[in-house]
Each structure stands twice: as C-alpha cells, then as structure tokens.
Amino acid sequence: DAGITQSPRHKVTETGTPVTLRCHQTENHRYMYWYRQDPGHGLRLIHYSYGVKDTDKGEVSDGYSVSRSKTEDFLLTLESATSSQTSVYFCATFSGTGGSEAFFGQGTRLTVV
Amino acid sequence: LAKTTQPISMDSYEGQEVNITCSHNNIATNDYITWYQQFPSQGPRFIIQGYKTKVTNEVASLFIPADRKSSTLSLPRVSLSDTAVYYCPSNQGGKLIFGQGTELSVKP
C-alpha cells in the first residue's frame, strides 16, 4: 500500500471551533488532494496542491483552507467548523506522471456537533 | 476543461458481465483513462487504466475507442463482493475530479 497516513481518523468537535486534519505521504508525490464524501455526492474536491506552497481551490472550498510547507505534509483546516462540514474526508496523492495512479488515505470521519 | 460523465447507479446479478461506460469530454491528448473502485468505509483504489484500445488485468477489462471520447469498464462474472462505487475521474491539469461515480449493486 502507498504510504499515506491521515490523522486523526475520527474526530468530534463543536461548532465554531477550528479543526486541522493532517495528511502525510512517504511517496514523494507532487500532487496532494483533500476530498469530502457525503451520501449522494460522491467525492468532492476541496483543495489540492501541485507543489510545496502551491495550492488551488477545488469544487467545495468555502470554509476550508490548506497549507503545504513540505512535500510530505498537506494540512486541511476548518477555521470555524459548522455542522455542514460533518463528513468523511479523504486525502490523496498523485505523482502526475503519465500512466500513474492516485493513492488514497483511509479517511477521517469528522463530526461537528 | 476535461469532464467525465457516468451513470449514477447500475444493478446486476451474480455471474453476469457488467459494463460501465464513461464519457470523456475534452480529455487531454496525453492523459490516460483511469478507473477506481471504492468499498464502503474505504478510500478509492485504482483498478485499471489505459490509453487506447483494450487493456485487461486480473480484475477488469477496459475498452477505449480510437477517438477516446468514452471508455467502458467491463467486470466479468461479477460477485457480491464487486458491489462498490466505480469512478472514472477527469484530470484538469493535475486537478483530479472524481464526481459521484457509478454505484454498482450486485444481487444474488
């Protein structure tokens, strides 16, 4: 399995509190992604990174920010968590070279109460 | 921008062959077509990819016509364990969009 670790795996937090999810990779892949998955919506891209300090918005970026200070780590921050951000969050990595595949972490289940 | 479209859901019975088609709008000339499978409570995992014509591995076959505007994932003789969501993501210059995928339900 690709070396992608998400932490924490489960978290319950209160509305209005800041939350940071971490994704760590050992594959040295250029691209890293954060997705959220909700029933009936499939996988929706929140933000992605195409290099250290290089990030861009995805499909559902409002309320989220990201940072990538080194190749192996990609952080997702919910500045002020809301109940609508209750979801399962997946991190993925991708080398970007032709014929390569994306690898996913095991997911983080976040509940905002 | 590259975009893919696939059916939301499909039903099948054990032992049947299942074909899931994905349309690829504006696919880049150098992009591969890749399919992923996701089981409940797990992240998606790669199952097959191709560039043109047909590719087969131990899990599935992938058919890609010459114009590359579509692809068909073929699962031979499905079993209950093939019940999953299948994705054919688009690649917008490194931005991978997975969408809703196709939810395959295999019945006994």
Side-chain angles (χ1 to χ4, degrees):
Chain A
D1 286 345
I4 302 172
T5 305
Q6 291 185 229
S7 58
R9 293 291 316 281
H10 302 271
K11 186 172 182 66
V12 179
T13 192
E14 293 186 350
T15 298
T17 60
V19 176
T20 296
L21 308 183
R22 180 181 183 242
C23 179
H24 178 80
Q25 62 146 332
T26 59
E27 303 300 311
N28 200 36
H29 285 171
R30 175 185 176 190
Y31 293 89
M32 295 187 76
Y33 308 83
W34 278 107
Y35 295 90
R36 62 178 289 175
Q37 186 163 45
D38 306 288
H41 290 279
L43 280 168
R44 292 184 290 178
L45 179 65
I46 304 171
H47 283 280
Y48 74 108
S49 168
Y50 48 96
V52 173
K53 291 186 171 40
D54 292 323
T55 65
D56 203 354
K57 295 179 179 180
E59 305 166 282
V60 288
S61 58
D62 287 349
Y64 301 95
S65 62
V66 291
S67 66
R68 190 169 179 200
S69 59
K70 44 187 179 176
T71 299
E72 54 266 37
D73 289 326
F74 193 33
L75 305 180
L76 176 70
T77 297
L78 290 64
E79 302 291 346
S80 177
T82 67
S83 58
S84 65
Q85 294 175 312
T86 292
S87 187
V88 178
Y89 292 85
F90 287 101
C91 171
T93 71
F94 179 54
S95 71
T97 57
S100 60
E101 65 196 76
F103 295 92
F104 282 78
Q106 293 181 295
T108 295
R109 183 172 294 278
L110 176 67
T111 302
V112 183
V113 297
Chain B
L1 292 176
K3 183 181 177 183
T4 58
T5 304
Q6 55 183 125
I8 298 296
S9 64
M10 294 183 71
D11 290 330
S12 182
Y13 290 94
E14 282 190 294
Q16 289 187 331
E17 178 184 71
V18 171
N19 296 308
I20 306 173
T21 297
C22 176
S23 66
H24 300 267
N25 290 328
N26 298 317
I27 185 170
T29 304
N30 59 345
D31 266 350
Y32 280 71
I33 291 173
T34 311
W35 283 79
Y36 295 79
Q37 176 189 57
Q38 184 182 26
F39 297 116
S41 302
Q42 296 182 22
R45 67 178 186 123
F46 165 86
I47 48 174
I48 197 167
Q49 72 174 10
Y51 186 79
K52 274 186 181 178
T53 64
K54 176 184 175 182
V55 178
T56 297
N57 63 19
E58 65 279 4
V59 176
S61 293
L62 180 60
F63 300 89
I64 303 170
D67 65 8
R68 295 183 7 103
K69 292 185 177 180
S70 66
S71 66
T72 299
L73 176 72
S74 181
L75 305 172
R77 296 181 297 283
V78 294
S79 64
L80 296 177
S81 62
D82 292 313
T83 292
V85 180
Y86 294 83
Y87 299 92
C88 57
S90 64
N91 184 349
Q92 300 172 3
K95 182 179 181 179
L96 299 181
I97 303 295
F98 278 74
Q100 280 195 266
T102 297
E103 187 170 4
L104 174 65
S105 176
V106 180
K107 302 173 184 177

